[in-house]
Amino acid sequence: GAVVSQHPSRVICKSGTSVKIECRSLDFQATTMFWYRQFPKQSLMLMATSNEGSKATYEQGVEKDKFLINHASLTLSTLTVTSAHPEDSSFYICSAGGFGGGDYEQYFGPGTRLTVT
Amino acid sequence: KQEVTQIPAALSVPEGENLVLNCSFTDSAIYNLQWFRQDPGKGLTSLLLIQSSQREQTSGRLNASLDKSSGRSTLYIAASQPGDSATYLCAVRPGGYNKLIFGAGTRLAVHP
């Protein structure tokens, strides 16, 4: 199957700083990438959908000025958490949409654990 | 609005048992349904994907069924092993969209 990487896998930052998370599709071109967050023992909640070269579409309730998404190429999308606060601490997972095995699927990265102190 | 529910929320069984995990969704207009496995602190591993036109998919000891009209899917795990311990997530892809909507998951513990 298709491979998606995320970097960093873990990050600790101080309140008020910004953090950037990268999501890369390693062996296919992803026209669409998705960003999810997951709180402990809860499911994945879609934050936004990004298409290469255009603005991201945010889900209801997600602050687009706080969670900046850039999808500059077919293999890279970035999520920047601006002015992070402790309540932003969460597990962030990206996925890349593609036709790796035939039909369209989302291929998930390993996730990034963000802790804001 | 599509909602996905998984029952039970948690399950603890002895090794060797056959298991059934349930997933239900409110809107039958789906493109496909997918079952994932998530180990603690890790990303998602896709287990089975069932297209809306299909009734079931099988992979090894796993079998997933789909009844789109009633909004239900089941994941059957045969002869469970301690290595099967993980959280199992069900997700539907609504018709006309590329995004996935996830259930809250079933946390499975298989003890020796």
Side-chain angles (χ1 to χ4, degrees):
Chain A
V3 179
V4 177
S5 69
Q6 275 185 248
H7 178 79
S9 58
R10 289 179 177 269
V11 57
I12 300 173
C13 71
K14 293 187 176 181
S15 186
T17 62
S18 296
V19 174
K20 180 183 286 187
I21 302 170
E22 290 187 350
C23 177
R24 293 182 183 272
S25 57
L26 299 184
D27 52 2
F28 69 103
Q29 294 185 327
T31 55
T32 306
M33 288 187 171
F34 305 83
W35 286 95
Y36 297 84
R37 70 185 296 180
Q38 185 179 34
F39 291 107
K41 296 187 178 180
Q42 295 187 27
S43 190
L44 278 73
M45 298 299 295
L46 179 65
M47 299 174 64
T49 303
S50 72
N51 294 295
E52 185 262 339
S54 62
K55 291 184 178 181
T57 301
Y58 290 81
E59 295 297 302
Q60 191 173 11
V62 178
E63 299 176 63
K64 61 181 180 182
D65 294 330
K66 180 167 188 61
F67 299 100
L68 301 179
I69 293 173
N70 182 277
H71 191 164
S73 76
L74 289 172
T75 60
L76 173 64
S77 177
T78 61
L79 167 67
T80 301
V81 182
T82 63
S83 186
H85 291 284
E87 58 265 31
D88 298 324
S89 298
S90 188
F91 192 56
Y92 292 86
I93 304 179
C94 74
S95 70
F99 295 86
D103 201 359
Y104 183 90
E105 278 192 56
Q106 287 187 33
Y107 300 92
F108 286 81
T112 296
R113 172 76 58 194
L114 170 63
T115 303
V116 184
T117 61
Chain B
K1 178 186 175 185
Q2 179 73 270
E3 292 183 358
V4 181
T5 303
Q6 290 187 246
I7 295 173
L11 188 59
S12 180
V13 299
E15 182 176 7
E17 279 204 5
N18 299 324
L19 309 171
V20 176
L21 309 183
N22 297 292
C23 172
S24 61
F25 46 96
T26 55
D27 189 340
S28 62
I30 64 170
Y31 187 77
N32 59 38
L33 181 146
Q34 200 163 358
W35 284 92
F36 294 89
R37 169 185 172 138
Q38 185 178 31
D39 292 288
K42 303 294 184 182
L44 274 63
T45 300
S46 178
L47 298 174
L48 292 165
L49 184 151
I50 311 176
Q51 301 295 346
S52 63
S53 59
Q54 297 176 323
R55 298 285 295 186
E56 64 177 351
Q57 283 285 346
T58 298
S59 176
R61 294 183 292 110
L62 305 179
N63 175 275
S65 67
L66 174 64
D67 185 342
K68 197 174 77 162
S69 60
S70 67
R72 294 181 182 181
S73 176
T74 60
L75 178 66
Y76 178 82
I77 304 176
S80 59
Q81 303 171 358
D84 295 330
S85 299
T87 295
Y88 291 81
L89 296 165
C90 165
V92 299
R93 179 182 165 192
Y97 295 92
N98 286 335
K99 64 182 181 182
L100 293 176
I101 298 173
F102 283 84
T106 293
R107 291 188 301 281
L108 173 65
V110 181
H111 47 87

